[in-house]
Amino acid sequence: MKKKLTFLGIETSCDETAASIVQENSNGSAKILSSVVSSQIQEHKKFGGVVPELAARAHAENIDYIIELALKKSIKSLSDIDGIAVTSGPGLMVCLNVGVNIAKSISAFTNKPLVAVNHLEGHALSPNLTNNIEFPYLLLLISGGHSQFLIVYDVNRYLQLGTTIDDALGEAFDKTSKMLGFSYPGGPEIEKLAKKGDEDFFRLPLPIINKGGCNLSFAGLKTAVLREIKNIKSNQEKYNLAASFQKTINKILRKKTAFAVNQFKDKTKNDCGTIVVAGGVAANKSIRENLEGLAKEKKFRILFPKIEYCGDNAAMIAWAGLLRYKKKLISNLSLQAKSRWPLDVSAPYMKGPGLKL
Ligand code: KG4
Ligand code: ZN
């Protein structure tokens, strides 16, 4: 019987220290043998956001143990592993370096191949961990650091249709939550407290809703929230603002995703297809329901990763690494982490002054 490919994945790009063992089933699907995620939320909560040096120190303290635990849970040892996949960008350099260095050491020590994985590719392929999705598909990637529409043609083949020109969506949730005095991370807090509020209470702007194609913008929305907060007098009004903020986000995502679906149809010459929504913000139930409604309208299938694979994890890194290895996209011990690493390298850089939409 052919040996099943088995990969160790390591993820330390931000504030989650994670390791996972993933195996390829004989039909090409993924089998997650273990997925260990150690979140540093408690450490960063008191600062209202991630402090890079603290995050890097926590990664360095925990990573050996997390890898050992992932191996133990999967009932595998390093000798059973066919390769090591590690997030080598984009992310916080001091954090990425912890994962990259340990992955290089394991690779040197075991003489097993090292595969550099783009964190965004991990998210992009994450729904494949539990579903069978055919390429190409339309991806909406919404996380703490990124918000993009892409066509995923294959592993390592992406076309960016649009991106945020200022804040990422998760960042907008986190900042709004902080301004409202809610805790970190903001996304789950806003989602929870919005349930107590009236979503039609505040009228908030929809930045670049009718221009800029599939590009997104959330900075103006954040400023409007700040303006309203100054006049807020009760907790109920805070809940109303959280609910109105979430409703506004839903309006923006619906309109822009509809536009992206049309672009996908045009570029792939397909009349139907699949929308994949991935990244930490894809855990939000109201966003899921909203986009499910749109997909129905557009006669597209829509898929989300399981909630535990929406946020940062190493199963998605192990899986992306395994798929890259099959395409012979292998690195070596000279691998260096990089803070910026777009999936579509030909896409224009959309931030900064002078931007024309
Ligand atoms: O993908 P992720 O874990 O890390 C990055 O790669 O950035 O995403 C983290 C982001 C945070 O901004 C967090 O507030 C947001 O995802 N998030 C949510 C929810 N759960 C996490 N945003 C909205 N609603 C949620 N339920
Ligand atoms: Zn992420």
Side-chain angles (χ1 to χ4, degrees), residues 96-141:
L96 290 164
N97 280 334
V98 177
V100 168
N101 287 339
I102 192 137
K104 280 192 201 175
S105 310
I106 299 173
S107 168
F109 170 71
T110 57
N111 220 1
K112 310 244 172 185
L114 177 68
V115 181
V117 174
N118 183 319
H119 180 82
L120 305 177
E121 180 157 56
H123 279 302
L125 304 174
S126 62
N128 271 307
L129 283 166
T130 43
N131 297 280
N132 198 357
I133 314 170
E134 279 182 17
F135 297 116
Y137 53 84
L138 174 66
L139 172 69
L140 169 59
L141 175 58

Side-chain angles (χ1 to χ4, degrees), residues 65-181:
Y65 170 71
I66 298 295
I67 293 173
E68 269 172 40
L69 194 59
L71 284 164
K72 195 168 159 206
K73 286 193 172 186
S74 69
I75 328 183
K76 295 280 174 200
S77 68
L78 280 179
S79 58
D80 302 314
I81 302 298
D82 297 296
I84 302 115
V86 62
T87 304
S88 59
L92 301 167
M93 280 304 276
V94 279
C95 295
L96 290 164
N97 280 334
V98 177
V100 168
N101 287 339
I102 192 137
K104 280 192 201 175
S105 310
I106 299 173
S107 168
F109 170 71
T110 57
N111 220 1
K112 310 244 172 185
L114 177 68
V115 181
V117 174
N118 183 319
H119 180 82
L120 305 177
E121 180 157 56
H123 279 302
L125 304 174
S126 62
N128 271 307
L129 283 166
T130 43
N131 297 280
N132 198 357
I133 314 170
E134 279 182 17
F135 297 116
Y137 53 84
L138 174 66
L139 172 69
L140 169 59
L141 175 58
I142 35 179
S143 70
H146 298 86
S147 301
Q148 305 178 340
F149 287 103
L150 294 138
I151 299 179
V152 183
Y153 284 104
D154 198 348
V155 175
N156 204 38
R157 254 190 80 210
Y158 298 88
L159 176 73
Q160 185 177 301
L161 299 177
T163 183
T164 176
I165 58 165
D166 39 56
D167 293 348
L169 184 51
E171 198 181 347
F173 268 99
D174 293 338
K175 286 179 179 167
T176 297
S177 171
K178 196 172 175 178
M179 290 190 285
L180 283 165

Side-chain angles (χ1 to χ4, degrees), residues 330-344:
I330 301 167
S331 314
N332 57 40
L333 295 181
S334 64
L335 173 66
Q336 297 288 331
K338 37 188 177 182
S339 57
R340 189 172 141 22
W341 182 5
L343 279 179
D344 175 358

Side-chain angles (χ1 to χ4, degrees), residues 13 23 46 49 55 103 121 132 153 164 264 266 292 301 310:
S13 66
Q23 194 168 63
K46 41 188 178 290
E121 180 157 56
N132 198 357
Y153 284 104
T164 176
F264 176 87
D266 259 17
E292 270 161 5
R301 180 184 177 213
C310 282

